[in-house]
Each structure stands twice: as C-alpha cells, then as structure tokens.
Amino acid sequence: MILTRGFLGALFSSSALGQVHHFYSGVFTGSSLYGVEFNEASSQLSFIYNGTLDISSSKWIATDKSNRNIYIANDNTYESYGIGNNVNYIVASNAEPFTVFGAPYSTGCPGQVIKVGSSGTLESLAANITYSSDSGIHGLALSSDNRFIYSGDDMGSSIWTHSYDEETTSVSKLQRLNVTGNPRHLAVSPQGSFIYVILEQNNQLAVFNRDKTTGLISGRNKTFSLLPSGKTTNPLNQTSLFECSLFSISNPGYSNSSLYWSDEVMFSVPQEKGKYPKYLFATVRSRTSTDPGFVAAYSLDSTTGTISDFLFIVPTTGSGGASNSITPAIFSEEFFAIADAQGNFIEVWKLGEGATTATVVAHLDVSDSPANLVWVD
Ligand SMILES: *[C@@H]1O[C@H](CO)[C@@H](O)[C@H](O)[C@H]1NC(C)=O
Ligand SMILES: *[C@@H]1O[C@H](CO)[C@@H](O)[C@H](O)[C@H]1NC(C)=O
Ligand SMILES: *[C@@H]1O[C@H](CO)[C@@H](O)[C@H](O)[C@H]1NC(C)=O
Ligand SMILES: *[C@@H]1O[C@H](CO)[C@@H](O)[C@H](O)[C@H]1NC(C)=O
Ligand SMILES: *[C@@H]1O[C@H](CO)[C@@H](O)[C@H](O)[C@H]1NC(C)=O
Ligand SMILES: *[C@@H]1O[C@H](CO)[C@@H](O)[C@H](O)[C@H]1NC(C)=O
C-alpha cells in the first residue's frame, strides 16, 4: 500500500461567490478527474478542469473537512491531491489535521486509519480496522464525535462497530451484527441515535438504533423498501407515495428486486451551524442498462434524527450502471448531484415544492464512467 501525493492546481479562483458552485468527479475507468462548475442561476454545468492522474481509476473520492484535499481510493493505494486557491465557507479548524479512514473491498482485508499532515495530505498508516476472513467492506461511516467506526460488510453480510481512540490512534473491535441483504453504505445520524444502512441486495434502507454512549447498535428500528412497491413502500404514510411519486396507484408493485442493487445513503448538508440535516437521500441502481434506477428521499426529525416522513421515490434518468451515487450539495439542502456510470453523465437535481419530488436541473455528458463526486463549494 503506497501513499502518494500530488497537486491538482487551482480549480477556480475566489469567484465562487453566490450562485456558482464546483465539484470534482472521479471515474471507474481511465485516469480522469473532472472539475465541474454548476451555475445555479442558469442551470449550466461546464468543465473547468480535465485532469489526467497517474492512476488507473479513481474509484471513490472524498474531500477533507476543509475541502483543501481530494482523497482518492485507487485500486491498491490511497492518494491525496491538494486543491489550490479554494475559498470555502465550511473551513473548519485547519490547524488540527483530520484523520482519514479507508477500507479495501477485498475478502478478509483490514481497513486503515490514516494520519494526515497539517495541510490535510495523507501521511501514514496508523492502525488497522480488523474484520473476519469472510468480510468484504464496502462502506464506512463515523459517528459525529469520531469515536466510533461503522463498516458495511457486503461480502460478510454484517455491520461492524469499532471504537477509535484519537489520542493513541488505536482501534478496538466492539461488535459484529449479522444483517442479511448485503449492508453496503451507511450514515450515522449526527444526533447519534440512528444508523441508516443500504441493504444492497434487498434494495432496502434499514434504520438501526444506536446507543450514543457505547456506540453499539442495539436493534433494528425500521426498514424501508427502496423500490416503488405499492402500498408497502411507505410504512409511515401509506398514501403519500401515490401523491408524491411518479407512480400511479395502479402500479402493481416491484417483485423484481433482483434486477436492482441499491447503492448510497447520504444526509443533506445543513446551511446553518448547529442545525441538523433536513433530508436523507438514498439511491438504487438498475442492473438492466435500459431500465432506470431510483432516488428516494425522507425527511428527518430535527431533534431525534429519526425519519419523520417518506417523501418520494422517483426514477433516475439512467440505470446508474455501477454508480448512481448521490452527493447532496453543500450550498443548499435542496440540491444534489448524481453520477451515472452507464450513461456517462452527471446531473444536478433539485427538490420540488414541499420536497414531494425532485427533478433534473442540469445534465453534463462526460467521456468515462463517473463513479462519485464531491462538492467543494
Ligand atoms: C496492519 O496490518 C498489516 C497486515 O495486514 C501489518 O503488516 C501492519 O503492520 C499493520 N499495521 C498496524 C499499524 O498495525
Ligand atoms: C455471523 O456470521 C458469521 C459468518 O457467517 C458467523 O461466523 C457468526 O457465527 C454469525 N454470528 C451470529 C451471532 O450469528
Ligand atoms: C425507533 O425509534 C423511535 C425513536 O427513538 C423509538 O421511539 C422506537 O421505539 C424505535 N422502535 C424500535 C422498534 O426500536
Ligand atoms: C399523509 O400524507 C398526506 C400528504 O402527503 C397528509 O395530508 C396526511 O395527513 C398524512 N397522513 C398521516 C397519517 O400522516
Ligand atoms: C421491474 O418491475 C416493474 C413493475 O412491474 C417494471 O416497471 C420495471 O421495468 C421492472 N424492472 C426491470 C429492470 O425490468
Ligand atoms: C473536458 O473533457 C470533455 C469530454 O469529456 C470535453 O467535452 C471538454 O471540452 C473538456 N473541457 C476542458 C476544459 O478541457
């Protein structure tokens, strides 16, 4: 495992005021990394950076908390690239480096705790996150206090809880919870009482209760279908599915779950300090290239972080291929972006009036299968 470092150069100058926003997108095939500008007023997407990196693919990308570095998971390596001139309003305490956590999707391999330098670049492996010989970890999530690491074990059909001690950079295994349906990606509610988990094979969003003090998962709270399946899709409010979604009441329901594989779960990003996310988004990929995937949305209770209402499930433009990954905007809770690796495009979506649906507001074709993207402003 090698850590390499590079510099991406300035994606943009300090012109990023008001209604112009930017993101980077990695790809599944090829060595591209795109920098894209989204103009909110004109709903235009345009390339402003076409990077070619010395890598075979940039499977999953993330930014550090201050958006000064892009982290790339690329086959056998984790890499970090500095972003120049990035003026940003979420700039956190830059003096304190933020530890990074990663996991390879490979049977029996440990995950890694990676120390970062003072400017956020990846520096060294500090600890392993160990699993079982039958495990294959697809997603990681941290509690908001960074004391607990949750791992979606897709191959080993379980969710792991590890504690993390920043002072000693040590990781301890606390719990393996067997969950059928291939847990893939997860998100811990910032309030602390719930973990939202994508069950890839079952096409479900599972909600687990979490003990805020011990970090342990203490049971299943609810499960939502991520496919439009008639009346059973919305356990909270049976009628709103039909009022809110594109599917009419005559929809016979989806009995073909095996033709789909669910992908991603993410919170919207609150715009005010101290506020909690208003929405939870999830996406589903279709295994059939000619059939669309889906994006689902739920509203969250601001006090507890529980799902207070099902909002909608609507078809995405394409199947999503291997991605259909969703990235909520960091400038508004009403926008999100979706990368489609089958159709080779990236789209920005906006919630409709009352958040009862969402529609595409901008579309950009790219040349090689986009995997996921990260907003930087
Ligand atoms: C992590 O595990 C690997 C073997 O998989 C081992 O070589 C390495 O020393 C471990 N690193 C730490 C920091 O424990
Ligand atoms: C969880 O699954 C693993 C792997 O299949 C198995 O070894 C273990 O006994 C299971 N644990 C429980 C509590 O069922
Ligand atoms: C789900 O969470 C809510 C809110 O904390 C709680 O009142 C309810 O008892 C939980 N249900 C289950 C089945 O754990
Ligand atoms: C269900 O949702 C509809 C609108 O979407 C609302 O008018 C109705 O009051 C809700 N019912 C319950 C029981 O929450
Ligand atoms: C799954 O079934 C639904 C409802 O019958 C249908 O609309 C959809 O096209 C099917 N999906 C695939 C991938 O065939
Ligand atoms: C970036 O690449 C796309 C094709 O993927 C091309 O259409 C576009 O013109 C390029 N833009 C720049 C700024 O190089």
Side-chain angles (χ1 to χ4, degrees), residues 246-266:
L246 299 183
F247 294 89
S248 71
I249 201 152
S250 62
N251 171 30
Y254 280 36
S255 53
N256 52 5
S257 175
S258 63
L259 298 177
Y260 297 91
W261 43 330
S262 291
D263 184 51
E264 185 60 273
V265 58
M266 286 223 177

Side-chain angles (χ1 to χ4, degrees), residues 6-279:
F7 185 66
L8 286 177
L11 177 54
F12 41 84
S13 66
S14 55
S15 65
L17 295 168
Q19 305 222 302
V20 182
H21 313 284
H22 301 86
F23 60 78
Y24 282 98
S25 172
V27 297
F28 282 119
T29 54
S31 53
S32 302
L33 184 78
Y34 295 115
V36 178
E37 181 170 285
F38 171 56
N39 186 317
E40 198 180 324
S42 65
S43 289
Q44 295 279 313
L45 283 170
S46 46
F47 292 102
I48 51 169
Y49 173 84
N50 283 4
T52 304
L53 309 177
D54 186 21
I55 55 176
S56 56
S57 69
S58 51
K59 289 207 175 57
W60 193 259
I61 64 174
T63 51
D64 62 347
K65 294 273 190 251
S66 57
N67 282 337
R68 291 161 72 207
N69 295 272
I70 299 254
Y71 299 135
I72 299 181
N74 164 41
D75 290 337
N76 298 321
T77 62
Y78 298 114
E79 316 195 348
S80 60
Y81 292 83
I83 304 171
N85 265 348
N86 183 11
V87 179
N88 200 284
Y89 69 86
I90 353 174
V91 174
S93 144
N94 288 338
E96 198 59 52
F98 294 87
T99 304
V100 170
F101 301 82
Y105 186 49
S106 192
T107 321
C109 289
Q112 288 79 31
V113 177
I114 307 163
K115 285 303 251 185
V116 300
S118 56
S119 61
T121 55
L122 302 179
E123 295 288 349
S124 59
L125 297 179
N128 289 318
I129 312 166
T130 55
Y131 305 101
S132 158
S133 59
D134 64 338
S135 295
I137 305 302
H138 208 292
L140 296 175
L142 295 174
S143 58
S144 54
D145 58 8
N146 296 316
R147 288 175 52 229
F148 299 95
I149 309 161
Y150 298 90
S151 308
D153 187 348
D154 201 317
M155 291 185 193
S157 247
S158 40
I159 301 167
W160 295 79
T161 305
H162 291 79
S163 62
Y164 174 64
D165 184 336
E166 180 72 60
E167 216 157 288
T168 57
T169 54
S170 57
V171 174
S172 308
K173 194 189 298 177
L174 297 184
Q175 182 184 31
R176 176 185 191 172
L177 185 74
N178 288 355
V179 177
T180 54
N182 298 6
R184 177 182 166 90
H185 289 179
L186 359 73
V188 185
S189 78
Q191 293 92 329
S193 300
F194 300 99
I195 299 181
Y196 295 104
V197 182
I198 291 290
L199 302 181
E200 178 177 10
Q201 189 61 38
N202 287 8
N203 294 301
Q204 288 170 330
L205 171 68
V207 186
F208 290 89
N209 299 315
R210 172 180 181 269
D211 185 306
K212 285 197 249 191
T213 312
T214 64
L216 294 173
I217 297 174
S218 52
R220 179 97 64 122
N221 192 284
K222 273 192 192 81
T223 304
F224 296 83
S225 170
L226 289 173
L227 296 176
S229 56
K231 296 190 175 178
T232 58
T233 303
N234 180 7
L236 293 174
N237 185 333
Q238 306 262 338
T239 59
S240 65
L241 173 69
F242 305 113
E243 290 164 9
C244 303
S245 83
L246 299 183
F247 294 89
S248 71
I249 201 152
S250 62
N251 171 30
Y254 280 36
S255 53
N256 52 5
S257 175
S258 63
L259 298 177
Y260 297 91
W261 43 330
S262 291
D263 184 51
E264 185 60 273
V265 58
M266 286 223 177
F267 295 108
S268 64
V269 182
Q271 295 304 298
E272 276 174 68
K273 234 187 151 136
K275 289 266 198 265
Y276 291 115
K278 287 203 309 212
Y279 308 114

